[in-house]
Amino acid sequence: MASMFTRVLSGRNTAVIMASLGAGSLVSSYIMTESGVSAGEKKKLYPPSADYPDLRKHNNCMASVLTPAIYGQLRDKLTPNNWSLDQCIQTGVDNPGHPFIKTVGMVAGDEESYEVFADIFNPVIKDRHNGYDPTTMKHPTDLDSSKITSGMFDENYVLSSRVRTGRSIRGLSLPPACTRAERREVERVVVQGLSGLKGDLAGKYYSLTEMTEQEQQQLIDEHFLFDKPVSPLLIASGMARDWPDARGIWHNNEKTFLIWINEEDHTRVISMEKGGNMKRVFERFCRGLKEVEKLIQERGWEFMWNERLGYILTCPSNLGTGLRAGVHVRLPLLSKDSRFNKILDNLRLQKRGTGGVDTAAVGDTFDISNLDRLGKSEVELVQCVVDGVNYLIDCEKKLEKGQDITIPPPVSQFKK
Amino acid sequence: MPFGNTHNNFKLNYSVDDEFPDLTKHNNHMAKVLTKEMYGKLRDKQTSTGFTLDDAIQTGVDNPGHPFIMTVGCVAGDEESYEVFKDLFDPVISDRHGGYKATDKHKTDLNFENLKGGDDLDPNYVLSSRVRTGRSIKGYALPPHNSRGERRAVEKLSVEALNSLDGEFKGKYYPLKSMTDAEQEQLIADHFLFDKPVSPLLLAAGMARDWPDARGIWHNENKTFLVWVNEEDHLRVISMQPGGNMKEVFRRFCVGLQRIEEIFKKHNHGFMWNEHLGFILTCPSNLGTGLRGGVHVKLPKLSTHAKFDEILTRLRLQKRGTGGVDTASVGGVFDISNADRIGSSEVDQVQCVVDGVKLMIEMEKKLEKGESIDSMIPAQK
């Protein structure tokens, strides 16, 4: 009578169970707590195979990579903040993905996650970042905006320019894992730092819990306000807990430098302006970031960063630079050309609608930005966008004159 | 298990003030009851399965509630939660269940023969009758907290128990993740199929994790006895049929439940129950009997009478639309069920429904004849 119980109850309990099998019923005399087995006992009662998720209908980077063997090795490990593998992958288990869109399917709970669970993060990173191998490669960080050339676009085509990234505060858990106190600490540390910014960077903080109706309306009108995430991918990872506690928006008086606090990452940093002066946008981006870093360092804090993965953020897709530099650009003729997508691919650019990721283009205006995040520096990526967008505008102009265009050769990936 | 806040030792580096949730805009039972002192006292405790206070209250922190609807705002992660965090749960239970005290004892009575009448509700008015409850399996953590391994163990054990039933209870299990399209269509047509919860109250509590792993529906061949596995509770048990024979529905409910319980007990995993809280379920609102017994009944005239709501209150009944909780009535047809869950037995609660609905049908008939019902209005039960 090998019922499921003899399989489930292993270890010291098995002898007791086996002894009573002859009676045709299970009379167990082992001590069970009120609720059942202790967390420690669970490891013996439920081997990793009992907990291994069913990923057969899944299509995300985590599911492609998580074998029962890796799960078995990592299930019982914890980071110093008690964050576990199951917590990293919950979002990918709960969201099988889409046959055409491959999501990442896992998040980090803290800086150490990338280390403790390296056996799964590394292959996921490789899959997501075009073969970047954290065990053998180094990521270059370069925030010297003076190196950018031809960074001024034709404003007959480019309507606006924007660069964004994220930064995490070392020593505090990331949004999926943080306690309320940690999240409030992130808010305190960052807001304090930002209050030291001067000149064109001087600005003000608007906490989500305390902003007035008026302030809220203003921020909505300016397209600055972020709201509680609705995406099941984000919600399943736990980053929306305790909303809107310790969340807020900071921006400079000129409204060209903006920081989101405790949304999907500790901070998201955005530099933007109307028109085509990407060089200036990037200059302010770099200057602002360096200023903020200096200000938090004065109080003994720093950003999470290492030479293998660059800047550490919640989602592996944002490792490295975490940078998305882009423009809103009108390309009425080129966008209808059958070669448009191939040109973008070779330029390592990505198109989105003007509402951002997963939106459709309105009219002929596209959001064009860099595809890559890790393995190339900030300067390289922004230059890539600059060169690429200039090429696209060139194509558009050629088509206007009835001339033919060519597909450019593919831009190289990262230096090995 | 699911949330970051379970790392107790680490968060104790922060003061109570730093960790205490901001509940100033909240309107749920948990928010009304949780003080800083209470939080300070309980925050470093955990049950033996590792469930913490922060886990229990997360849903109430994330969902401030509604100015008119008072939600509970906390859940249990295992049987022990109600004990370890009694300082929170006792006052929440008291508020939710009409003053039920920490020292009160709950009566369980699943002897259907104790029900008087109930087989003669006028079928011209009563369209269908139904009784539901929930059960939790001892030795396993509850849906907010269980691991995949535990959830699958609950499923396996439940299916084994259900498949051993015979006679009127002979039936079949349909796991959510492997049902065929045809089976799915049929279950939808029968109104049996449950889907992944969308309510933010449930999602925030963590009970939808790993969906649809180890979730499924079991029903007997006659489609009058139905069990949901691993939805909001380990088991939800439903007995139903068209027409007004509540006595028969309740008989089948009691017999079916007791048969299932015997099998679980044999495996040393009986139902979670104690003499203070009755049957232990995930949400404190379902403690006691966890029973909702009700009918779909046509009361077009009575439902528009000025005293309808008062009559319901006095009869200890509750109205809902025919879509269930938070729906509107259609064509004068209401879902009428017991309002109480704890402090009275299953028989008591179903008796309330039977007696109350019988009275209301008589009132409806009087109103049809243009007569007054003032003399029939009952005293508060």
Side-chain angles (χ1 to χ4, degrees):
Chain A
M1 189 197 129
S3 83
M4 47 79 78
F5 281 95
T6 54
R7 230 179 324 120
V8 165
L9 302 166
S10 60
R12 68 177 169 88
N13 301 314
T14 302
V16 175
I17 304 302
M18 288 302 196
S20 58
L21 272 182
S25 64
L26 291 173
V27 178
S28 166
S29 62
Y30 66 86
I31 306 297
M32 204 162 56
T33 64
E34 270 279 284
S35 298
V37 293
S38 67
E41 281 296 306
K42 247 193 225 190
K43 286 184 194 175
K44 297 188 203 115
L45 266 189
Y46 296 99
S49 55
D51 277 334
Y52 182 71
D54 182 350
L55 301 171
R56 290 172 295 173
K57 295 198 178 112
H58 285 59
N59 182 47
N60 55 52
C61 297
M62 179 276 294
S64 301
V65 150
L66 184 67
T67 61
I70 295 178
Y71 185 76
Q73 276 158 30
L74 297 180
R75 185 193 69 159
D76 297 331
K77 290 196 165 30
L78 293 173
T79 69
N81 301 323
N82 268 29
W83 186 249
S84 69
L85 174 71
D86 281 317
Q87 287 165 315
C88 285
I89 66 173
Q90 191 67 59
T91 180
V93 175
D94 288 350
N95 296 288
H98 191 279
F100 307 139
I101 301 167
K102 198 163 187 191
T103 45
V104 175
M106 65 186 303
V107 292
D110 51 18
E111 189 167 6
E112 291 87 347
S113 298
Y114 287 105
E115 215 50 53
V116 174
F117 309 116
D119 285 347
I120 180 166
F121 272 111
N122 287 347
V124 163
I125 288 166
K126 209 167 178 182
D127 189 4
R128 177 61 175 213
H129 294 282
N130 307 300
Y132 183 87
D133 185 351
T135 58
T136 57
M137 293 155 108
K138 289 207 169 62
H139 169 80
T141 292
D142 185 354
L143 286 159
D144 181 358
S145 59
S146 68
K147 293 178 181 160
I148 300 295
T149 58
S150 313
M152 178 70 215
F153 298 120
D154 185 336
E155 289 180 337
N156 291 314
Y157 299 88
V158 172
L159 307 175
S160 61
S161 308
R162 181 184 188 267
V163 180
R164 69 85 160 151
T165 188
R167 290 289 186 265
S168 310
I169 309 299
R170 176 162 280 161
L172 295 168
S173 300
L174 296 170
C178 64
T179 67
R180 277 179 295 273
E182 285 186 281
R183 200 186 295 111
R184 292 164 181 171
E185 179 93 78
V186 167
E187 186 188 36
R188 256 197 307 270
V189 168
V190 176
V191 171
Q192 198 170 60
L194 294 169
S195 66
L197 290 175
K198 297 188 176 27
D200 69 321
L201 294 177
K204 186 178 167 191
Y205 181 63
Y206 303 85
S207 134
L208 247 59
T209 49
E210 287 166 28
M211 66 173 61
T212 65
E213 293 267 332
Q214 241 171 318
E215 287 168 340
Q216 188 174 301
Q217 195 53 55
Q218 182 74 37
L219 289 164
I220 290 173
D221 294 339
E222 287 159 346
H223 306 286
F224 283 176
L225 189 64
F226 65 89
D227 209 352
K228 181 171 180 176
V230 292
S231 161
L233 280 82
L234 297 183
I235 294 178
S237 71
M239 51 180 83
R241 287 170 301 125
D242 313 311
W243 201 276
D245 197 311
R247 273 84 169 189
I249 290 159
W250 182 98
H251 69 75
N252 66 350
N253 299 327
E254 299 180 11
K255 301 180 184 174
T256 53
F257 192 65
L258 167 69
I259 300 191
W260 289 354
I261 293 178
N262 285 321
E263 195 238 10
E264 189 183 329
D265 279 295
H266 283 173
T267 67
R268 283 290 177 93
V269 179
I270 302 152
S271 170
M272 61 208 242
E273 58 184 70
K274 292 232 189 310
N277 199 340
M278 181 60 94
K279 188 170 167 96
R280 185 165 66 198
V281 167
F282 187 52
E283 183 277 327
R284 185 171 51 245
F285 176 84
C286 296
R287 184 163 47 89
L289 274 172
K290 288 191 204 133
E291 271 300 305
V292 173
E293 185 164 20
K294 204 167 61 137
L295 288 161
I296 64 168
Q297 277 168 344
E298 279 168 13
R299 292 190 196 258
W301 296 93
E302 55 182 4
F303 293 143
M304 291 183 195
W305 178 93
N306 69 51
E307 61 175 6
R308 297 182 313 114
L309 298 176
Y311 289 101
I312 304 293
L313 292 175
T314 305
C315 180
S317 68
N318 283 319
L319 289 168
T321 61
L323 186 140
R324 190 171 95 84
V327 297
H328 283 186
V329 58
R330 289 187 324 104
L331 298 168
L333 297 173
L334 181 60
S335 58
K336 292 186 187 61
D337 192 296
S338 60
R339 294 164 286 187
F340 185 40
N341 286 334
K342 183 70 181 152
I343 293 173
L344 288 173
D345 271 352
N346 282 7
L347 293 172
R348 298 215 61 74
L349 295 177
Q350 177 188 61
K351 73 178 191 235
R352 300 181 181 189
T354 49
V357 65
D358 293 333
T359 65
V362 174
D364 306 307
T365 306
F366 286 84
D367 174 323
I368 303 290
S369 64
N370 53 296
L371 261 175
D372 302 318
R373 303 270 184 273
L374 174 66
K376 281 183 174 164
S377 74
E378 289 82 353
V379 166
E380 286 173 293
L381 291 175
V382 173
Q383 191 64 58
C384 186
V385 173
V386 165
D387 295 343
V389 170
N390 278 330
Y391 190 90
L392 295 174
I393 293 171
D394 208 60
C395 288
E396 184 69 23
K397 287 174 172 170
K398 283 202 160 83
L399 290 172
E400 281 170 15
K401 295 195 210 116
Q403 293 168 1
D404 196 21
I405 58 174
T406 54
I407 298 174
V411 166
S412 69
Q413 299 238 10
F414 24 77
K415 308 183 179 85
K416 294 206 191 272
Chain B
M1 188 226 107
F3 305 124
N5 288 6
T6 53
H7 42 291
N8 269 301
N9 294 338
F10 184 72
K11 80 182 165 202
L12 292 175
N13 292 333
Y14 293 93
S15 70
V16 171
D17 271 313
D18 278 341
E19 282 291 356
F20 190 71
D22 181 353
L23 301 171
T24 48
K25 296 196 178 107
H26 286 58
N27 185 47
N28 56 51
H29 288 297
M30 178 279 293
K32 293 247 168 305
V33 148
L34 185 71
T35 60
K36 265 193 199 162
E37 290 67 40
M38 190 188 288
Y39 185 79
K41 188 174 162 205
L42 297 178
R43 73 172 179 139
D44 60 348
K45 297 203 178 348
Q46 48 182 315
T47 66
S48 60
T49 68
F51 197 67
T52 66
L53 178 72
D54 282 309
D55 290 331
I57 66 174
Q58 191 66 59
T59 180
V61 175
D62 287 350
N63 296 289
H66 191 279
F68 307 140
I69 301 165
M70 188 81 151
T71 46
V72 175
C74 55
V75 291
D78 52 22
E79 191 168 4
E80 230 183 303
S81 301
Y82 287 107
E83 199 42 52
V84 173
F85 307 115
K86 65 193 304 11
D87 287 352
L88 168 73
F89 279 113
D90 282 348
V92 165
I93 289 166
S94 177
D95 279 353
R96 177 61 174 212
H97 294 283
Y100 192 76
K101 296 193 288 297
T103 50
D104 284 339
K105 298 256 184 292
H106 171 77
K107 205 170 44 148
T108 293
D109 182 0
L110 281 159
N111 190 344
F112 63 90
E113 280 163 0
N114 290 339
L115 182 71
K116 300 196 245 315
D119 52 353
D120 58 351
L121 297 174
D122 192 333
N124 291 314
Y125 294 85
V126 177
L127 306 176
S128 60
S129 307
R130 180 186 189 266
V131 180
R132 70 86 160 150
T133 188
R135 290 290 185 265
S136 307
I137 318 299
K138 232 176 148 51
Y140 299 104
L142 296 171
H145 188 48
N146 55 13
S147 65
R148 281 180 291 273
E150 286 187 282
R151 200 185 297 111
R152 290 162 178 170
V154 164
E155 182 191 37
K156 246 185 158 176
L157 179 54
S158 304
V159 171
E160 196 185 296
L162 293 166
N163 282 343
S164 69
L165 297 175
D166 60 7
E168 61 175 323
F169 295 108
K170 194 159 148 58
K172 188 177 166 190
Y173 182 65
Y174 302 86
L176 248 57
K177 70 176 172 184
S178 55
M179 65 175 59
T180 65
D181 280 344
E183 287 168 342
Q184 189 173 300
E185 294 279 326
Q186 185 63 51
L187 288 166
I188 291 174
D190 291 329
H191 304 286
F192 284 176
L193 190 63
F194 66 89
D195 208 352
K196 180 171 179 175
V198 292
S199 163
L201 279 83
L202 298 181
L203 293 175
M207 48 182 87
R209 289 170 298 126
D210 314 312
W211 201 275
D213 197 312
R215 272 83 169 190
I217 292 160
W218 181 97
H219 69 77
N220 66 351
E221 282 167 15
N222 299 336
K223 298 185 182 177
T224 53
F225 193 72
L226 167 70
V227 178
W228 289 355
V229 179
N230 285 319
E231 194 236 11
E232 188 183 329
D233 281 293
H234 285 167
L235 302 176
R236 283 289 176 96
V237 179
I238 302 151
S239 168
M240 61 208 242
Q241 68 192 54
N245 195 345
M246 183 59 97
K247 193 181 183 73
E248 171 60 14
V249 168
F250 189 55
R251 182 205 63 81
R252 188 169 51 244
F253 176 82
C254 294
V255 172
L257 268 174
Q258 277 159 341
R259 293 249 186 105
I260 301 170
E261 185 165 15
E262 267 160 38
I263 302 169
F264 279 105
K265 273 189 179 153
K266 270 201 212 140
H267 291 309
N268 209 46
H269 280 278
F271 294 147
M272 291 183 196
W273 179 93
N274 69 49
E275 62 174 4
H276 166 52
L277 296 177
F279 288 102
I280 305 288
L281 293 176
T282 305
C283 181
S285 67
N286 284 320
L287 291 166
T289 61
L291 186 144
R292 193 170 92 81
V295 298
H296 283 188
V297 57
K298 284 194 275 203
L299 298 170
K301 291 197 154 35
L302 182 60
S303 58
T304 52
H305 191 282
K307 293 226 163 93
F308 184 46
D309 283 344
E310 196 187 321
I311 292 168
L312 287 170
T313 306
R314 290 188 183 197
L315 292 172
R316 309 199 71 78
L317 298 176
Q318 179 188 66
K319 75 180 188 229
R320 298 180 182 192
T322 48
V325 66
D326 292 336
T327 65
S329 112
V330 175
V333 180
F334 282 84
D335 174 323
I336 303 290
S337 63
N338 54 299
D340 302 322
R341 301 275 184 272
I342 197 171
S344 50
S345 74
E346 289 81 354
V347 168
D348 293 335
Q349 290 167 8
V350 175
Q351 194 70 63
C352 263
V353 176
V354 160
D355 296 345
V357 169
K358 195 159 186 188
L359 177 63
M360 290 198 293
I361 291 172
E362 277 164 41
M363 288 178 166
E364 180 73 18
K365 287 174 173 169
K366 270 251 155 79
L367 291 172
E368 280 170 17
K369 293 195 221 129
E371 294 167 18
S372 155
I373 56 165
D374 289 344
S375 58
M376 296 171 76
I377 296 190
Q380 176 70 53
K381 288 187 81 165

